[in-house]
Amino acid sequence: MREPRDPAELLKSAADGDRTAWDLLESRFGPRMWAVARVCGLNEADAADAVQGAWLRLLEHLHTIREPSGVGAWLATTTRREALLIARRDSPGILSVDVASDPDPAAAVLEADDSRLLWKTVSDLKEPCRTLLQLVATDMGSQQMAVRLGMPVGTVGPTRIRCLEKLRTLISLQETVQ
Amino acid sequence: MINDEYFLAALRLAAGSDPIPGHVSAAARDTYGLRVSQAVTAPPADCASPIGARGGDGPGLVRFVAAGLTFDLEVTVGDGLIDVAGQVFPHPGEGSHVDVRTPHLTLTRRLARTGQFAVTGLPPGWLSVVCHRPGLAPVQTRWVRIRP
């Protein structure tokens, strides 16, 4: 099986006029960008706008991305910025955003291609974290989650933060071991 | 809690419960067709009426500056569609024209002697204007999102 093309190479090829390279960038990073836009609380139409906005930003910066190998994280960061701007419903009219020159370091979690490892780590957590994070991943609201988990709705948010922290720690440890 | 969105996004991705819709992928791929070779991108600049200052009812003004050109765009949203009245100055020269672009529609306008141009009835969403100048690199405004 052929190795997937390096993101930096894809970016350079796209900048040089290779449409196939652009399509491959979309295949690789589009699903992540969609997930980022959706967790920012956008509905489908607004999430679609945020994702398209990030691709338009990439088009503007095809030749000026500072770290071409990190184009995936750059796209995730840019999607989040666009999504948060769109989520601010109090600013109708013309929306523009400063483009990130560097990606958020936290976006690196999306760079990991092994989603099975992440999901297995969630499955290995103790309750209520295991079920809570599985429900979070399916976009269930706090009210419904509270019912499913049998906990007061007011405790769902703080518990979610604690569970995410545990998961983050476990993932970091696994990365350290590897 | 810093940027938990990325972590939650990774979880959602792993769960596979909300895959990217086909039309969103298709739109992203089609975006490549909006590439303007050799174009200089003009970012928004400060101007007399900053973005959003007039609220949602009146026109919004935004200025872009690059490569010695200034674009002033006055955008009006009405009946769900967008009208753009613009001016490019100094005048970029005989034979110049502008393309007012959305992802799905491009309208070409010759510039008046004053550098002014106008288009009406654009769909809401992303918008950019490109000024083509004979013998010089085109200048495009950064894409801006316009919604009612």
Side-chain angles (χ1 to χ4, degrees):
Chain A
M1 211 169 110
R2 284 179 63 187
E3 282 286 307
R5 288 169 68 184
D6 174 59
E9 184 210 329
L10 289 175
L11 185 67
K12 184 178 184 311
S13 297
D16 291 342
D18 180 356
R19 190 187 177 103
T20 306
W22 179 270
D23 289 350
L24 288 170
L25 285 171
E26 194 285 321
S27 297
R28 190 170 311 176
F29 300 119
R32 301 174 194 188
M33 295 161 70
W34 177 253
V36 169
R38 293 286 277 161
V39 297
C40 289
L42 299 185
N43 62 29
E44 283 208 12
D46 286 342
D49 263 7
V51 170
Q52 184 162 40
W55 286 111
L56 289 167
R57 300 281 170 247
L58 181 62
L59 207 60
E60 293 168 353
H61 292 80
L62 269 178
H63 295 276
T64 55
I65 298 284
R66 204 180 297 181
E67 287 182 39
S69 59
V71 63
W74 187 93
L75 281 165
T77 301
T78 304
T79 303
R80 177 174 176 270
R81 286 180 168 220
E82 297 289 350
L84 293 179
L85 198 69
I86 290 170
R88 280 187 224 140
R89 297 274 180 199
D90 59 345
S91 53
I94 303 168
L95 296 180
S96 183
V97 65
D98 285 334
V99 178
S101 52
D102 292 310
D104 293 334
V109 68
L110 284 161
E111 290 295 288
D113 281 321
D114 195 351
S115 58
R116 281 175 308 173
L117 176 65
L118 181 63
W119 209 234
K120 183 179 180 313
T121 310
V122 170
S123 304
D124 290 344
L125 287 171
K126 290 180 180 163
E127 296 292 2
C129 286
R130 177 171 57 213
T131 303
L132 187 144
L133 290 180
Q134 286 169 345
L135 295 177
V136 163
T138 57
D139 201 24
M140 187 175 280
S142 295
Q143 196 90 41
Q144 285 176 288
M145 245 188 268
V147 173
R148 285 283 294 272
L149 293 166
M151 59 170 58
V153 68
T155 63
V156 169
T159 308
R160 189 178 87 155
I161 293 172
R162 277 200 304 278
C163 293
L164 278 172
E165 204 48 55
K166 276 185 191 171
L167 180 62
R168 208 190 309 271
T169 304
L170 285 172
I171 294 287
S172 304
L173 286 172
Q174 286 165 357
E175 284 170 356
T176 307
V177 170
Q178 286 168 1
Chain B
M1 188 167 67
I2 303 165
N3 297 345
D4 259 349
E5 289 93 350
Y6 300 118
F7 219 68
L8 292 171
L11 276 176
R12 286 178 73 109
L13 212 52
S17 56
D18 181 22
I20 183 170
H23 70 90
V24 178
S25 284
R29 290 173 185 225
D30 290 346
T31 298
Y32 191 69
L34 298 166
R35 193 171 69 103
V36 182
S37 191
Q38 310 295 322
V40 177
T41 300
D46 290 336
C47 63
S49 298
I51 296 168
R54 295 192 184 185
D57 295 332
L61 290 178
V62 61
R63 171 172 287 180
F64 301 87
V65 181
L69 281 189
T70 297
F71 296 71
D72 276 351
L73 305 183
E74 185 175 282
V75 181
T76 309
V77 183
D79 296 330
L81 295 173
I82 297 166
D83 298 338
V84 180
Q87 185 176 21
V88 180
F89 58 93
H91 194 287
E94 194 64 34
S96 299
H97 68 273
V98 291
D99 288 334
V100 182
R101 306 186 304 162
T102 73
H104 303 293
L105 180 68
T106 295
L107 297 174
T108 300
R109 293 287 182 270
R110 291 225 163 272
L111 290 170
R113 283 186 185 174
T114 55
Q116 290 173 309
F117 62 93
V119 298
T120 57
L122 292 168
W126 293 98
L127 175 90
S128 168
V129 177
V130 187
C131 180
H132 296 275
R133 309 173 290 175
L136 291 169
V139 182
Q140 63 180 352
T141 69
R142 186 180 287 172
W143 287 88
V144 288
R145 182 178 180 265
I146 299 167
R147 288 286 181 194

